[in-house]
Amino acid sequence: MEEKVKTQLKFTAKDFASDQEVRWCPGCGDYSILAQVQRSFPDIIEKEKEKVVWISGIGCSSRFPYYMNTYGFHSIHGRAPAIATGVKVANPELSVWVATGDGDLLSIGGNHFIHACRRNIDLKVLLFNNKIYGLTKGQYSPTSEVGKKTKTSPYGSIDYPFNPISVALGSDSTFIARTIDTNPKHMQTIIKRAADHKGFAFIEIFQNCVIFNDGAFDSYSDKSVRDENLLFLEHNQPMLFGAKKDKGLKLVGTKPVVININEPGNSVNDVLVHNEFDDSPVLSMILSHLSDSPNMPVPIGVFRQIMKTTYDEAVANQIAEVKKIKGEGDLEKLLFAGSTWEVN
Amino acid sequence: MIVDLNSKKHTKKLTEVTVRFAGDSGDGMQLTGSQFSDTTAAVGNDLSTLPDYPAEIRAPLGTLYGVSGFQLHFSSNDIHTPGDRPDVLVAMNPAALKKNISELKKGGIIIVNTDSFDARNLKLAHYESNPLEDDSLKGYESYPVPITSLTIKALEGSKLSVKEVTRSKNFFALGLMYWLYNRPLENTISWIKDKFKNKADLADANLKALKAGYNFGEITELFETRYEVDKAKLPAGTYRSISGNEATALGFLAASVKSKLPLFLGSYPITPASDILQFLSTYKNFGVKTFQAEDEIAGITSAIGASFAGSLALTTTSGPGLALKTEAMGLAVMTELPLVIVNVQRGGPSTGLPTKTEQADLLQAVYGRNGEAPIPVIAASTPSDCFNMAFEASRIAVKFMTPVILLTDGYLANGSEPWRIPHANEIPDFPVNFRTDSEGFHPYLRDENLSRPWTKPGTPGLEHRIGGLEKANITGNVSYDPENHDLMVRLRQQKINNIANDIPELSVDGEQQGEVLVLGWGGTYGSIKEAVMHVRNRGHKVSQAHFRYINPFPKNTSEVLKKFNKILVPEINLGQLSKILKSEFLAPVVSFNKVRGLPLRTSDIEDKILELLGEKK
Ligand SMILES: Cc1ncc(C[n+]2csc(CCOP(=O)(O)OP(=O)(O)O)c2C)c(N)n1
Ligand code: SF4
């Protein structure tokens, strides 16, 4: 009986859907992200749905908060991490999530992103990376590849792109993961892992923009090739990939190479074993740059997770400490502090 | 002249004095000035100060651009400004003399540190010949004092290095000034003891230098007269000396306590606003959260986030920082969240004169946003008024669910004056009712003031979304409907107009109608007040009014303006308030503008008033 009550009380995906009409282009990868978030949230938020806040900047992806039946704030271009910081610091009890695009987070919002990472504020940031500007109709973005032809780069983009995972690593984000819009199960797992992480969590989601950059991730998101080209990172597991799981990643010095474990002289023991909780960011950094070289797989999963005091905790701790030393603030005393004199 | 029985010298009574300490940026002039001010406040004079320091932290020694000054005006009467021209100049080196001599009153007193008048320093100050030896100081009462060597002599036997010993020379100068103006040493003695608690040698050196300076005044043949300025007759109460920035910080803290809202400040350091962040970060035991953001944009947006979450949220900055915050101010207007934005104005445009004062961000504050984005603008008129206006800004922001811009300026921020401290229980409460009832809730419902409900995330049943896109009236859903946009633009404007019902009317000091009204706003209050008093003392009728609320203006503004033939508007800009008054009220204003990076001179305003009255001074 009691068990039943509990199950009844549990939220369903529907509880997280707002009454607003979703208005992305048909086929947009954003739909999958919305669906996976709504499906994962009943496991993340078991009660007090009102404690959830979604914050976004501007872009197609940033329409996200409207579609969630939680508290939400659709703000201005690039500033979601800073607004979210204010929300979380003001009320650490809230569960604060950021939905953002590659232009939003890494171009105009780059500064706020790296600083939110380094401060380890307990925010969950979902980067919808479609390697293009969607809302402004198809200009290249800071994650677009060199040579990309777009409306503002008719002769090919000459900008070197950002690598979002290595930017997050370099800025000391304490949780860094990547997932893909065509793999719902994987995305749900990653979202829940991010929710469980105490501290700043960054998820890069490969998201297909069907209108301006269709197929950008086909070489690893399409079912026919994804086993060949995706490397699923799993803690404590050797980094094997390929349809037959016969290819493995090996490190020669600091250089990763791909070996076939069934070939003579090779064995699964030569293959790197993933350690999400490694204190050192070095291997994660190597993994994040893996696909810079041809014929290398694209890693998805959790790159790294480490634990440190969060910024919002530190704020609360410091206030508590100062109160202990100085005593609870007294306005009258403070007004009359220092050297005063009387006039009669 | 009366004879002081304790002293062989004459004592002369004065009602007011303006002193300027000037020296190299490393000479400790700001410290000397503030010690002299604190002591002067403690003996009961009214006073007003003007620190004036270079943008360079430590400019090369002896250079003209490295001169740091501190001016202090004190009196046995009510005073309102740091004084136009000093009566006394203490010049620690040739550069300080060169830079300040032209400001000194005719016949004024100069005390110079002769030790620093060597060939090198004279050259650095671009002196062709030694002004102490040629005729250039004729017309002044000059007192050459070898301050450095006297300090060294007084500290003979000290364990400190020569460099450290000579650094005490500012205390020698301070001691001498204490003697000259008959001030007690006790205040500074206890300050030194406290400050150098753990550095006995330094404490000892500074104390000795201070006393040596005082005794030098007494013993030397140089000075025949010392001066005395009686206590001022200030309203009864407990006083402290306060700077504008500290008053601003305290005003916000008081607002937090009185509204029972936790205080959140998101800010990025910039001169001259940084102190507010610094002061507030010391109030952690009040639960104040200060967030030193990565830039101004993060400063204001983090504050917007904190406001959304239910805090009394602030952001503080100066001109260039306000420019960066512009887009986010529009967001706060659209989301109708309470937020206080402080702009401690400084010389512009761009990075302009970072350490100097100006009033040239008024149009930016009132109009400087994309779209129809009305934001209330209020301005503090004196250093201590910053306390009241910070409190007011908070009250208005919360009551009307709106961002509010509070303008102060570099002069108010760093200047200080005696402040009659209010008791905590004299400050009114303004409790906030967050919406918690889900029955009939809509995020853009409005109350009688047109304010929407403030709803904290975390409140069950009230989940809703806000944002920068246009809102449908009442529901707050995104709406691009033309008629709705027109309505919302008008509602947001009307809400701000409604604030006029909640603020004091403009009061006129002097005749309520007549020939000339001198009308100002913000930090020029003191200069205007003093100029008006001087003109009245010459038997003229002239009235004064001063805006502390600028957007919206007080309800009776138009009425007041109509009652005067001429309206003189002095401002430290090229006529920004004038422009607004002309466009809003078609008022016949006469502008008086000086944009020197300094407070307006009383005498200049006075001349202008007399000119308007048809009299040559
Ligand atoms: C200050 C400012 N600059 C520019 C814009 C225009 N703008 C809106 S969205 C966008 C880029 C969005 O790209 P991305 O973040 O990748 O999101 P997507 O639409 O692809 O989801 C730009 C440049 C704006 N709204 N505000
Ligand atoms: S433009 Fe691209 S990113 Fe935007 S909604 Fe359409 S498909 Fe999605």
Side-chain angles (χ1 to χ4, degrees):
Chain A
M1 178 68 197
E2 219 189 297
E3 197 52 49
K4 203 171 163 202
V5 172
K6 250 190 206 159
T7 38
Q8 267 180 347
L9 277 181
K10 192 169 167 171
F11 293 123
T12 66
K14 269 204 192 119
D15 293 311
F16 290 98
S18 78
D19 59 354
Q20 303 291 302
E21 193 187 331
V22 184
R23 296 208 283 193
W24 286 309
C25 308
C28 175
D30 289 354
Y31 284 98
S32 168
I33 304 176
L34 178 62
Q36 306 333 317
V37 168
Q38 288 172 346
R39 281 177 199 145
S40 341
F41 261 50
D43 291 338
I44 294 169
I45 306 294
E46 293 181 349
K47 46 179 190 183
E48 301 189 307
K49 180 166 75 71
E50 66 274 9
K51 295 256 165 89
V52 179
V53 185
W54 275 91
I55 293 166
S56 64
I58 296 292
C60 297
S61 37
S62 287
R63 297 294 176 97
F64 195 91
Y66 292 124
Y67 309 137
M68 291 292 295
N69 184 18
T70 63
Y71 283 94
F73 200 147
H74 177 221
S75 69
I76 44 178
H77 202 24
R79 317 302 169 198
I83 294 182
T85 296
V87 172
K88 185 70 188 179
V89 171
N91 185 356
E93 286 187 7
L94 299 172
S95 170
V96 185
W97 295 71
V98 172
T100 180
D102 39 306
D104 194 51
L105 189 74
L106 296 172
S107 198
I108 191 166
N111 198 27
H112 309 307
F113 174 55
I114 58 176
H115 289 281
C117 285
R118 79 167 162 94
R119 291 192 186 107
N120 194 31
I121 303 179
D122 188 10
L123 307 176
K124 318 297 161 200
V125 176
L126 273 54
L127 167 64
F128 300 26
N129 186 5
N130 53 17
K131 299 195 176 186
I132 200 85
Y133 284 9
L135 193 73
T136 45
K137 301 200 175 75
Q139 303 83 5
Y140 64 96
S141 95
T143 53
S144 299
E145 61 277 16
V146 173
K148 178 86 183 166
K149 287 198 170 143
T150 72
K151 288 177 182 159
T152 49
S153 56
Y155 306 112
S157 162
I158 51 176
D159 283 32
Y160 296 110
F162 255 146
N163 176 329
I165 300 283
S166 56
V167 173
L169 271 165
S171 313
D172 288 336
S173 169
T174 52
F175 178 97
I176 297 162
R178 177 190 278 155
T179 184
I180 194 159
D181 59 2
T182 52
N183 194 335
K185 281 274 157 312
H186 188 262
M187 201 197 305
Q188 287 175 32
T189 318
I190 296 297
I191 290 170
K192 286 181 216 165
R193 285 285 313 273
D196 285 342
H197 175 66
K198 201 160 156 337
F200 189 87
F202 171 68
I203 309 177
E204 179 189 21
I205 307 175
F206 290 147
Q207 172 249 328
N208 193 32
C209 169
V210 288
I211 305 297
F212 299 111
N213 205 13
D214 195 22
F217 306 102
D218 275 2
S219 60
Y220 30 91
S221 66
D222 197 79
K223 273 214 174 76
S224 59
V225 284
R226 81 172 175 214
D227 289 345
E228 242 10 87
N229 296 341
L230 280 185
L231 169 66
F232 285 83
L233 297 172
E234 274 177 76
H235 181 61
N236 245 341
Q237 296 299 313
M239 296 184 205
L240 294 172
F241 63 102
K244 297 190 211 103
K245 287 269 181 262
D246 55 356
K247 289 188 272 186
L249 208 61
K250 180 182 158 178
L251 211 54
V252 179
T254 57
K255 197 175 147 58
V257 293
V258 173
I259 57 166
N260 186 317
I261 53 168
N262 297 328
E263 275 172 10
N266 292 340
S267 106
V268 73
N269 296 334
D270 300 327
V271 175
L272 270 174
V273 173
H274 186 43
N275 178 6
E276 288 173 6
F277 310 111
D278 196 348
D279 282 339
S280 156
V282 173
L283 261 178
S284 307
M285 195 56 103
I286 291 173
L287 288 175
S288 76
H289 280 285
L290 209 54
S291 43
D292 293 354
S293 332
N295 304 323
M296 283 290 176
V298 174
I300 68 166
V302 177
F303 283 68
R304 184 160 186 247
Q305 179 176 21
I306 55 169
M307 293 298 294
K308 320 189 213 190
T309 307
T310 67
Y311 183 85
D312 37 295
E313 259 175 347
V315 168
N317 292 346
Q318 190 169 59
I319 286 176
E321 239 166 73
V322 177
K323 280 185 178 172
K324 217 189 286 164
I325 298 164
K326 288 190 167 177
E328 195 74 41
D330 177 332
L331 180 61
E332 178 83 0
K333 263 198 207 144
L334 186 65
L335 291 173
F336 286 80
S339 63
T340 62
W341 67 95
E342 298 295 328
V343 172
N344 304 312
Chain B
M1 218 173 268
I2 52 167
V3 179
D4 181 345
L5 294 179
N6 300 322
S7 172
K8 297 183 290 291
K9 319 239 170 168
H10 297 297
T11 296
K12 193 174 166 187
K13 278 225 192 261
L14 298 173
T15 51
E16 62 179 299
V17 181
T18 301
V19 177
R20 187 182 294 180
F21 295 94
D24 205 81
S25 359
D27 282 342
M29 290 299 98
Q30 300 303 326
L31 174 63
T32 310
S34 59
Q35 280 300 309
F36 196 91
S37 308
D38 287 354
T39 295
T40 297
V43 301
N45 294 132
D46 196 3
L47 72 94
S48 169
T49 71
L50 176 66
D52 183 28
Y53 51 91
E56 293 76 12
I57 304 301
R58 283 274 187 279
L61 289 177
T63 56
L64 283 165
Y65 58 90
V67 174
S68 169
F70 189 104
Q71 185 163 314
L72 160 83
H73 182 193
F74 58 102
S75 171
S76 53
N77 292 328
D78 232 11
I79 56 164
H80 306 281
T81 72
D84 283 359
R85 295 177 176 280
D87 304 293
V88 188
L89 172 65
V90 179
M92 298 300 277
N93 68 4
L97 180 68
K98 177 103 179 220
K99 257 203 92 172
N100 291 290
I101 186 85
S102 63
E103 299 268 297
L104 192 64
K105 270 188 199 147
K106 287 280 156 273
I109 296 174
I110 307 173
I111 297 171
V112 283
N113 179 12
T114 51
D115 289 325
S116 64
F117 282 68
D118 56 16
R120 193 187 125 79
N121 280 333
L122 288 167
K123 188 155 173 255
L124 280 169
H126 303 298
Y127 271 119
E128 307 267 306
S129 63
N130 190 341
L132 306 183
E133 286 159 11
D134 59 28
D135 274 349
S136 49
L137 299 183
K138 234 170 79 187
Y140 301 103
E141 225 180 286
S142 73
Y143 297 99
V145 183
I147 294 178
T148 313
S149 42
L150 286 171
T151 305
I152 293 172
K153 207 187 259 161
L155 298 188
E156 250 165 29
S158 158
K159 285 195 218 84
L160 299 174
S161 67
V162 180
K163 204 173 152 195
E164 283 169 316
V165 164
T166 41
R167 212 181 276 151
S168 301
K169 66 181 181 298
N170 61 331
F171 281 99
F172 185 97
L174 180 63
L176 177 58
M177 292 300 283
Y178 279 162
W179 176 82
L180 197 60
Y181 288 96
N182 234 324
R183 328 254 95 179
L185 300 183
E186 282 68 31
N187 252 297
T188 297
I189 291 175
S190 62
W191 182 87
I192 293 174
K193 283 183 178 158
D194 185 56
K195 179 81 183 173
F196 301 102
K197 267 203 288 279
N198 303 320
K199 293 176 186 152
D201 288 346
L202 281 180
D204 190 51
N206 288 333
L207 287 171
K208 274 194 182 136
L210 179 75
K211 287 176 189 163
Y214 192 91
N215 293 336
F216 175 80
E218 181 67 38
I219 296 156
T220 180
E221 304 277 290
L222 207 51
F223 299 95
E224 290 216 331
T225 312
R226 62 196 300 204
Y227 304 93
E228 212 167 66
V229 176
D230 281 345
K231 280 181 188 209
K233 284 162 228 53
L234 297 168
T238 307
Y239 282 75
R240 67 187 276 192
S241 172
I242 197 157
S243 74
N245 274 342
E246 182 165 19
T248 305
L250 280 176
F252 287 129
L253 187 76
S256 163
V257 171
K258 293 297 170 174
S259 62
K260 299 202 166 61
L261 292 170
L263 197 65
F264 178 96
L265 169 64
S267 186
Y268 189 77
I270 183 169
T271 303
S274 306
D275 290 343
I276 306 172
L277 170 60
Q278 289 167 18
F279 277 118
L280 283 170
S281 50
T282 64
Y283 304 158
K284 290 256 145 72
N285 56 329
F286 287 83
V288 173
K289 292 177 179 169
T290 50
F291 174 62
Q292 183 175 316
E294 54 272 19
D295 59 23
E296 280 75 3
I297 301 176
I300 185 169
T301 48
S302 64
I304 290 173
S307 169
F308 179 55
S311 292
L312 177 59
L314 326 168
T315 187
T316 49
T317 194
S318 187
L322 191 74
L324 283 173
K325 291 175 200 280
T326 306
E327 189 198 15
M329 286 193 261
L331 177 66
V333 169
M334 191 57 112
T335 52
E336 304 194 35
L337 284 168
L339 171 71
V340 180
I341 302 142
V342 181
N343 177 6
V344 183
Q345 298 165 97
R346 64 186 219 181
S350 187
T351 35
L353 306 177
T355 59
K356 314 281 175 187
T357 200
E358 202 161 289
Q359 286 188 302
D361 298 345
L362 181 65
L363 293 177
Q364 185 192 19
V366 176
Y367 302 116
R369 283 165 294 284
N370 68 302
E372 290 287 348
I375 293 185
V377 178
I378 67 177
S381 55
T382 69
S384 65
D385 189 42
C386 290
F387 177 86
N388 309 319
M389 295 319 266
F391 191 86
E392 265 297 85
S394 312
R395 182 189 71 79
I396 294 171
V398 162
K399 181 163 181 183
F400 291 86
M401 293 294 285
T402 177
V404 173
I405 294 176
L406 168 59
L407 296 175
T408 70
D409 62 48
Y411 154 61
L412 295 178
N414 292 321
S416 56
E417 63 177 358
W419 178 44
R420 189 162 69 98
I421 312 167
H423 284 283
N425 59 14
E426 295 164 33
I427 306 169
D429 288 332
F430 60 105
V432 170
N433 297 314
F434 286 101
R435 171 95 191 207
T436 52
D437 181 8
S438 61
E439 188 70 32
F441 168 75
H442 287 292
Y444 279 73
L445 276 175
R446 294 178 187 279
D447 67 10
E448 68 281 5
N449 300 312
L450 294 183
S451 306
R452 74 177 193 90
W454 196 2
T455 313
K456 276 194 280 194
T459 314
L462 295 182
E463 287 90 334
H464 67 280
R465 275 71 53 196
I466 58 171
L469 292 176
E470 182 57 287
K471 302 284 164 282
N473 189 28
I474 301 176
T475 65
N477 288 335
V478 174
S479 166
Y480 301 146
D481 175 57
E483 296 309 319
N484 175 73
H485 180 55
D486 186 78
L487 173 69
M488 290 300 275
V489 164
R490 288 169 200 280
L491 281 174
R492 286 187 289 261
Q493 181 64 54
Q494 187 55 49
K495 179 175 81 166
I496 301 310
N497 297 349
N498 289 348
I499 296 171
N501 300 323
D502 207 59
I503 57 173
E505 293 204 335
L506 183 64
S507 67
V508 176
D509 175 39
E511 263 72 30
Q512 298 301 298
Q513 56 188 53
E515 189 61 19
V516 174
L517 173 70
V518 190
L519 182 59
W521 68 278
T524 49
Y525 173 76
S527 306
I528 297 175
K529 171 114 188 155
E530 232 161 65
V532 166
M533 276 171 15
H534 291 172
V535 176
R536 283 186 195 152
N537 289 344
R538 295 163 68 103
H540 293 285
K541 285 191 174 148
V542 54
S543 305
Q544 186 194 359
H546 205 77
F547 286 119
R548 292 156 82 225
Y549 300 83
I550 300 170
N551 190 32
F553 284 116
K555 265 202 291 202
N556 62 333
T557 301
S558 170
E559 232 173 281
V560 169
L561 296 181
K562 280 184 198 141
K563 288 189 176 143
F564 292 87
N565 294 335
K566 289 177 185 151
I567 297 156
L568 178 66
V569 180
E571 290 180 87
I572 313 176
N573 59 42
L574 291 182
Q576 300 196 4
L577 176 68
S578 293
K579 191 169 272 180
I580 300 178
L581 292 174
K582 281 181 204 159
S583 70
E584 299 232 333
F585 304 104
L586 301 173
V589 299
V590 178
S591 302
F592 175 76
N593 311 103
K594 279 264 193 273
V595 200
R596 307 178 306 140
L598 291 166
L600 292 179
R601 273 199 206 102
T602 299
S603 56
D604 290 344
I605 304 173
E606 206 178 316
D607 290 349
K608 187 72 194 174
I609 302 173
L610 290 171
E611 186 192 310
L612 280 189
L613 288 167
E615 189 193 311
K616 277 255 160 346
K617 194 172 172 178

